[in-house]
Each structure stands twice: as C-alpha cells, then as structure tokens.
Amino acid sequence: MKKLFIFAALAAPLFFSCAKEMEQALEQEPEKTPVANVAFKASIESLDSPTKADINASNQLVWATGDKIGIFVNDDGWGVKNQSFVLVGAGGSTTGAFEWDVEPAQDFTNANATVAYFPWGGDNNVSDSDSHFYISLPEHNGSDVDPTYTSGKMLTPLVAQVTRTGDEYDAINFKHAGAAIKVTINNLPAGAHSISLTANHPVYGYYNIDPANYADGMVENSAGVNDGKTTSFLHFAASDAERPFTFLFPVPPLPAASTLYFNIYDKNDIKVWSAGARTKGDVALGRAEVLEMPALDITPYKQFNSVSAEWTVIGTVNGTNWNADIPMVTDGSICIAKGVSFAAGGEFKVRQNKSWDSPNVAYPSSNYVVADAGLYDVIFDPTKGDSEKVKLVASGCPYPSAPVTMGIDGNMSEWASIPGTVAATSSSSAIQQVKAYADDDYVYVYVKRTNEGRFSQLWDDESGRGAGYYYFYFDLDNDSSTGTYDKNGKWEIGPFLYLFGNVSGTFNTSPTGTANGLTSLSGVICNGNATSDFVEVEVAFPRENFPTISSQTVRVSVYGNKDAGQVETSFTIPPAAPISISIDGNMSDWAKVPGSSTSDITLKVWNDDTNFYLYTSCTPGTREKELWGYKQGYFYYDFDFDNDAATGSYTNEGKNYEAVLCIYPFGGTKYDSSDPSTPVRAVADPVIMSSSDGGFTTSGIVFKPVLTFESSTFTLFEIEFVMPRANFNTQVNAGDVIKIFNWRSKGGGSTTFTYTVQ
C-alpha cells in the first residue's frame, strides 16, 4: 500500500534574537508541536528626529489557508525534484499539517528529501546542481487587480534541511532566509491600496542561501544582478473605513545606515502619505531580524494644501448649470475636486483660468458625461495624455476639500462648490435642493424651492413678518432611530424659523422661531434671493448653540410650509477646536462650549480627564432685590449621572439625581430700598452646601463669579467653576450621557442640559 506523507510543521515565530532561531517541526504524523513565543529587539533613527526607540516585538508567524511549502527530492529517479505540499485545514495556528498538492506517481518512502522551503511558487526552488535554495523576492506582492496582501502577513522566505533516521524523517528547523521591515499605521485611511518601500540598496530580486550554512544569509545569485531593484510594493484590498494595518516587507539583509522611504497610494493611484527613515549607523539588519518602525498616526494627503489658481470644474454639477466654477485642491500638479454631485447624464469639463477663450484649454475635448447620479471626485493630472488627464471616481477617499468662505449675504455663488441633495423629478416637494456645510464656527444650510404650491404666500404678513417658515431637523449621531423629533425619521434637534419678511422678496436676517433643541436662536442669521421662479435662503447656526455632535457625518432635513415638502442631505462636520477652560473670570473661553438656555438662564458644561467645568449666566429677574445678602440668592446643580430620573439619592421636582450642588454666590448687604448706595457684589468664594447632603466632596472646587453693569445697573450675572471628577461619589466615563438640571432661586428660571462626557 502506498504510504501518504503528511508533514506537520510549526509555523515559525516571525523573528527571534540573533542567538536563537525559529523552529518548525516536519514529521510524519499531523501532530502539533508547541514552540515558545519569541521576540526581537530593534531600534530606528528617524530622518527628521534624533530620537532612538528600542521596540520589543513578539512577531509570530501562523500558517494561512492555502499555504504551500516545497520539498526538494535529491533523487535522479524523480523527474520533478521540487514537490509542493499544501496546508491541511484553515490555518491560523503556529502548527500545521501539509499534504501533497498533487500526489506524484513515485513512492515517497525511500525518496531522498533534503531541503524544505517556503513559500512555494514563483522562481523559488532548490537547485539540482548545488542544493542551494534559490529565492525570488518579488517587486510586487499582489497587484492592483489581485491585492493579496493582508495586515501582518509574513512573506520572508524560510528554508530548512530535511534529515531522517532510518525510515523516519526527523523534525526539521525552518530558518529565515532574509529579514523584514515592519511598519504599523494606526489610521490607514479609506481607499488606501498599496505601499512601497524604497531603499538605497536592492530590496527585491534574485538570491540564494545554502541550507547547510543558513547563518551566512541570502546572497545575490550573481554580482550586480539586482542593481537598481530598490523599490518593492505590497498590494492590499482597499477598505471603506479607516483602520489599523501592519505591513511586513520581506528584504535581504541590509547594511548599517540604510536609507528607507515609504509611500502609500490609494485606489486612484494618488499618493496618500510618505515618510523617510534610516537604520542606525552602527547596526546592520541581519538575517532573521526585523526592523520595527514605531506605530504611526499619519496625516493623509497633506501635500494637497492649496487651491489651484489655474484649474476648476464646470458643468451641471452641484445643482449648477455651466454657470459656476468648482475649485480644486492641488499638490502643485494633480488637482482634485472632492465630493462633486452629479445627476444622471450630468456633464462637465476641467477648464483653465475660468475661461473658454484661447489660449486657455479645457478637458476632455468633448464633455465628460456621467452615467449614474451620485457623489464623485474629479481628478485632473495635467502631466498625462489628453485622453487620460481627467478621471471621475466614486467618492470614498478622504481627499481634502477646497476651503469655502461663507457669507450670509444673499449671494449664493459660494454654494456652487458644495454638494447637496436634489429632489427627485417625481417628487411633489417644492423644495428643489438642500445643501449643508460646516466650519469651526457655524453650520450653514442652503435651501432652494420652486414657485410651485403656495409660493406667493411665503411673504403674507403675520405679526410683522412673513408667513413662510422652515424646520431644520439635524441628526447629530447619524442614527435615524434615535432623537426627540420625529419627522420622516428621528432627529436630535429641530429648530423652527420664520425666514421670510412681510414684503415679497425680503428675508428676516435675524429670524425668529423656536430653538427646539438648540441652546438658543442667538446668533442665527439668514439671507436670501428671490425671483418669480424660485427662492433661495441660506442660514448660519452658531456651533456653540448645538448640543453635543457625536458623529462626523451629520444628516439635515428641511421641511417647509406652503407646500414646500421635505428634502434631506448630509454633510461632514469638522472636529471642534480644542476647548480649554480657565477659571479666571474671562468668559470668552466658553463661547464654543455646548449648553442649554431658556429666556432666564444658560448652563454650559465641559470636562477633561480630571475635572468638570460649569458655567451659568442669568439676568437679574423681577426679584433681583431678594438676591443680595448672606444666603439669599442661590443656584442648584442637580446631576443625573445615569440619565435615569427614577434612580438616585436626591429628589427635586419628582426626579432623582446622583449628586446635588447648591451654591450661594450673591454677596453684599441685604438690599435696602431706602438706601440706594446698598452694595451689590458677588462673593469671591461662594458658600457651598454641606457635602454630606450632595453626593460629592468640596475640595478643589474653584469659583469665579462676574457681574455686568450697564450705566450702574446690574444686567447680567455669570459664574464659572471647576469640580474635580474624583470628588463625586458616582463616576462616569467618556461617552456616558448625563443630565444636569440648573435652577436659580428668586424666580431665576431653570434649564436642563443633556451632555455627553468627553
């Protein structure tokens, strides 16, 4: 009976120390033999920094589905002496069983197997003449059409001698034939597709190693055969989202002070990121060693840092009709217009200097026709041939957008470069288009409606203003199943604004309405443009008026009366500028902090890892005279840390709280109406209610109250204070949603703020 040989092998730990090699067992039975995890130390000196970092790595190789090893049979009776064996099962372990890929006709029982190697395929083989393992380190691992590389995949070839005692094969030890360079990117962006390594020495080509003298490492097959082969690539499948990714470049041993350059490219062949480094001047990278770069957070596409002064996109784009030029960002050569909206059948060109006149040119020669509606990126490379200069790709890569400066002035030209949503032609909605944009200070919304429906009634007089209004529904967590306001989906806030004046074609530049989730309508501004066929409005909402925005992608839906209908779009909101609060009486650092307001009182809340910061402002109110004097006016801050009004040790107005703070910040002598000189002042160190009643301790609390007077009349009271988070009996974590109820005595009003812990 023919004997079936199954090779059980340990997947070699990726790299070990210079004194100890990886081990793999090659046996007759498919039993797994454990081997200890191993580690290498490596250090690297960056080209732009003298900092040296020693990295301890436990880099372990495991077998993967479909892995093949080669076995060389040094026997003239075998016509094909390099035989392939394939992994049995799914892999994922440091041990694996290998069986014949295609079983030969010869009986392997007495075969003289002498060398084992990995991987099988390509130009990898053992020579019949000298029994050396000949290796081809490829220029491309995978390809754009076959992106086979996966995170952490080890490609450095392995080699081992195969020996036997009597009729049984001995366990064998696989050795690394070369070295590796390891690069981990913590935030590899969506769309990234390949990475290259360039060195000042060859990193791919043809090499060989003598299994009997593996410590000598890989050598070139012949002198100079690999000259110029200094750049290699790893090709991997692009992702739709940012992710961490580890790259392991297989390389031959490299001399000390080798210079290394890395470039990442996206699926559109645009460079994402590049960096340089070099090995330490006194340390070479030897066989079975890994050079591990420190894990990196990268800034993608930072070379696209200016707007092209020469090239723009024009056509039926972003709701325009060959009447507006869309700016493009550039790296000095390639130009990109990100997130351009097209209807099916839309057309465009990239033109020079915003002109059709000679000697200016436009590409392509015939209009580029877009087959399907959608959001696209337009890429223009002037260095390519005329037919290849313009490329249209589906949006997905995080290219930078050309900056936009919004002016709420009724001139809608700046909206041309902003994509949006166009209502379907079958829609009964008079709202034709909605666009949105955000910068550090404002969220902007543009609405265009046709003259359909009761268009003329928008300006009907109602209490000195027009009758037309819009609701602006914002989904701040990008989850249509959550939110307080329900209008064709759920929304966290839904401010309602009267935007139209009571004279046809006019607008309320400081619109009135209802905040509906905004802290207030303070600072909201509007303008518009009206013709007999349509009306456009643009609205700016201060970002500090919004509650916490937990998603970078925000949905907004606009609903209007007078048969306007409802249309939705989405936009990307930039991260808020870092907030730093100082308890110094200068309240300007609270300007962009979220909060909640009523007509009487405003509460704002912020936190860092150590402290909670709180701010309250209030007007004097009708009972101002009762505030002054020892323990007359006071504020309560009720903390609902689990966002559950049914739990907590402290009760107020039927709701339970985990902590309650009461402060008395109003000082001076009790007001005496017969003495107009009665002092009115704030207390530098307000009295705090006993901590035994509040669910917190008082140490480390710092207050700063400020009074504002106009013509000697008290008009506004503000107070800011800091409370160490450790003081509270109940602790919260980043992402927890809490509620804080703030109210003032003597008719000062109240407000509740729902806050997401930072």
Side-chain angles (χ1 to χ4, degrees), residues 21-32:
E21 295 299 330
M22 305 161 297
E23 295 179 342
Q24 285 187 308
L26 181 58
E27 301 175 344
Q28 287 181 277
E29 300 298 328
E31 296 177 355
K32 296 181 179 181

Side-chain angles (χ1 to χ4, degrees), residues 502-753:
N502 60 356
V503 176
S504 181
T506 64
F507 302 89
N508 293 329
T509 55
S510 297
T512 59
T514 308
N516 288 349
L518 290 177
T519 58
S520 75
L521 296 180
S522 175
V524 176
I525 53 178
C526 162
N527 217 315
N529 175 42
T531 72
S532 59
D533 297 321
F534 62 85
V535 60
E536 301 169 289
V537 293
E538 54 183 353
V539 185
F541 298 90
R543 283 187 63 168
E544 62 262 29
N545 291 12
F546 281 76
T548 302
I549 300 173
S550 58
S551 173
Q552 191 176 4
T553 300
V554 175
R555 297 166 53 239
V556 58
S557 182
V558 181
Y559 167 81
N561 67 342
K562 309 303 181 184
D563 305 322
Q566 183 175 358
V567 172
E568 172 189 327
T569 192
S570 61
F571 63 101
T572 299
I573 192 160
I579 293 174
S580 178
I581 304 295
S582 299
I583 307 302
D584 54 8
N586 181 349
M587 304 302 183
S588 62
D589 46 9
W590 288 96
K592 296 183 180 180
V593 175
S596 177
S597 295
T598 64
S599 58
D600 301 306
I601 190 170
T602 294
L603 169 68
K604 296 188 174 186
V605 181
W606 193 248
N607 76 274
D608 55 28
D609 292 342
T610 306
N611 299 307
F612 274 109
Y613 303 87
L614 294 97
Y615 164 92
T616 296
S617 66
C618 65
T619 57
T622 59
R623 298 171 61 187
E624 178 214 339
K625 296 177 182 180
E626 300 177 45
L627 296 173
W628 310 104
Y630 181 70
K631 287 194 174 182
Q632 296 298 308
Y634 54 85
F635 290 100
Y636 265 95
Y637 298 84
D638 300 341
F639 296 85
D640 182 2
F641 284 133
D642 61 1
N643 197 17
D644 185 349
T647 63
S649 303
Y650 309 96
T651 302
N652 184 31
E653 295 187 356
K655 297 179 180 179
N656 292 341
Y657 300 90
E658 279 68 45
V660 173
L661 167 68
C662 178
I663 62 173
Y664 298 86
F666 298 94
T669 305
K670 188 174 182 180
Y671 190 86
D672 183 350
S673 60
S674 64
D675 181 3
S677 65
T678 300
V680 176
R681 63 181 176 84
V683 178
D685 295 307
V687 177
I688 305 172
M689 186 181 70
S690 170
S691 62
S692 62
D693 296 328
F696 63 92
T697 59
T698 61
S699 61
I701 301 179
V702 178
F703 295 88
K704 189 66 177 181
V706 174
L707 295 174
T708 300
F709 291 86
E710 295 181 6
S711 301
S712 301
T713 300
F714 167 51
T715 57
L716 182 68
F717 178 87
E718 297 174 284
I719 188 169
E720 60 177 353
F721 61 97
V722 58
M723 296 184 68
R725 292 174 63 170
N727 287 21
F728 288 100
N729 297 346
T730 302
Q731 293 294 302
V732 292
N733 300 306
D736 289 350
V737 177
I738 67 175
K739 287 184 177 179
I740 302 175
F741 178 54
N742 182 204
W743 60 282
R744 197 201 80 186
S745 66
K746 314 304 182 185
S750 64
T751 188
T752 298
F753 180 41

Side-chain angles (χ1 to χ4, degrees), residues 13 65 304 547 608:
T65 302
F304 288 92
D608 55 28

